[in-house]
Amino acid sequence: MAEAERQTLAELGELGVLARIFPRLPKADATLLGPGDDAAVLAAPDGRYVVTTDMLIHGPDFRWEFSAPDDLGWKAAATNLSDVAAMGARPTALVVAIAAPQSTPVSVLEGVAEGLRSACAELAPGCGVVGGDLSTSDVFTIAVTAFGDLEGRRAVRRSGARPGDVVAVAGELGVAARGLRLLFERGREGGLRADAHAVGRQLRPMPPIGLGTVAADAGATAMMDVSDGLVLDARRLARASAVDLEFDGLTDDEAHGGEDHALLAAFPPDVALPDGFRRIGLVVPGAGRVLVGGAPVDELGGWDPYEQWDGRLS
């Protein structure tokens, strides 16, 4: 291993680390003033912007035994880009904060930066990293804040679904959950041999970012990112809209698996579904339930960190 790859965060210090990772970070088209000052300055032609944040913590959210540094950077970007898209906005910029043990090789942060760059280039061209923070922690943590431009559109909320609307989804359902099971059962290499597509989607999600604005322009009445499991997230949309969502039929993986970051949307019945969306059900009168075959689904499944994380898997 080259000397530069062995250097740790403690050995280089913050300025040295930043000098190594800045050249690897993606640039944002909306940047008026980028990294280097106390804050960045972004163009916001619409006068409004969408903002969201999410974090990934070693243990409950990712494992180094499964994820390479560039996988982590990709996933940290993708999870936030998807939330921006779910509002009907175009992602424009990311702010990234990382807390890591001082013994972490600087090459790990360089890999994370490469993953951030790759994800922005493939999923949201023009979006980039405009700033962030570095700190030290016993547990590796990455927190990303994402910004998006509505470009004159209304924000598509969870609360607009109406009885008679068609429920549709863009992206995969249940694939990342299958990949996660394989990782736990067989490890990274064994899982990839068994089902490279599913494991790949768990490590590097492929949310349909560009379809967020497409859905908004097509008249979507409600939309959200499916990150915690379809049934769990669909109930959130149903409750926000004070309706029930009746699905045509779901496999267990489709119903309860999370981390695919598909887009769940409702469209008026007289609107043709945009390319990339497929019908999976109907909005019916109700008060926040998810139905399959007319019967309520009581087993929500999905991911709730306060219910499922007990620290034993770190």
Side-chain angles (χ1 to χ4, degrees), residues 182-193:
L182 287 169
L183 286 170
F184 278 114
E185 292 170 1
R186 308 189 186 195
R188 180 184 173 100
E189 296 308 315
L192 285 169
R193 285 194 298 270

Side-chain angles (χ1 to χ4, degrees), residues 82-288:
S82 186
D83 282 333
V84 171
M87 298 298 294
R90 179 180 60 84
T92 55
L94 306 177
V95 175
V96 181
I98 297 175
Q102 294 195 42
S103 59
T104 303
V106 180
S107 58
V108 170
L109 267 62
E110 291 177 316
V112 171
E114 295 285 2
L116 289 164
R117 181 169 63 183
S118 297
C120 287
E122 186 162 346
L123 301 176
C127 182
V129 176
V130 298
D133 190 29
L134 295 177
S135 189
T136 183
S137 170
D138 291 337
V139 180
F140 195 104
T141 302
I142 178 168
V144 176
T145 299
F147 298 86
D149 186 356
L150 286 164
E151 301 177 316
R153 301 178 187 87
R154 60 184 176 83
V156 185
R157 303 174 59 184
R158 300 179 181 183
S159 56
R162 301 164 298 192
D165 285 352
V166 172
V167 180
V169 68
E172 296 174 308
L173 293 174
V175 178
R178 187 166 70 249
L180 184 61
R181 281 201 308 274
L182 287 169
L183 286 170
F184 278 114
E185 292 170 1
R186 308 189 186 195
R188 180 184 173 100
E189 296 308 315
L192 285 169
R193 285 194 298 270
D195 191 336
H197 178 72
V199 171
R201 288 297 186 264
Q202 167 58 222
L203 299 177
R204 298 169 77 99
M206 289 289 291
I209 305 301
L211 291 181
T213 56
V214 170
D217 291 340
T221 56
M223 186 160 54
M224 70 178 296
D225 160 71
V226 180
S227 56
D228 295 330
L230 177 62
V231 170
L232 181 60
D233 285 329
R235 190 178 72 164
R236 292 167 175 159
L237 190 150
R239 286 184 168 180
S241 295
V243 295
D244 286 349
L245 301 186
E246 179 155 15
F247 292 125
D248 299 332
L250 301 169
T251 67
D252 187 65
D253 274 350
E254 289 172 333
H256 304 305
E259 297 193 286
D260 291 298
H261 297 284
L263 291 177
L264 176 68
F267 293 91
D270 57 346
V271 167
L273 293 182
D275 289 343
F277 280 88
R278 63 188 185 277
R279 174 194 163 114
I280 60 170
L282 195 67
V283 179
V284 297

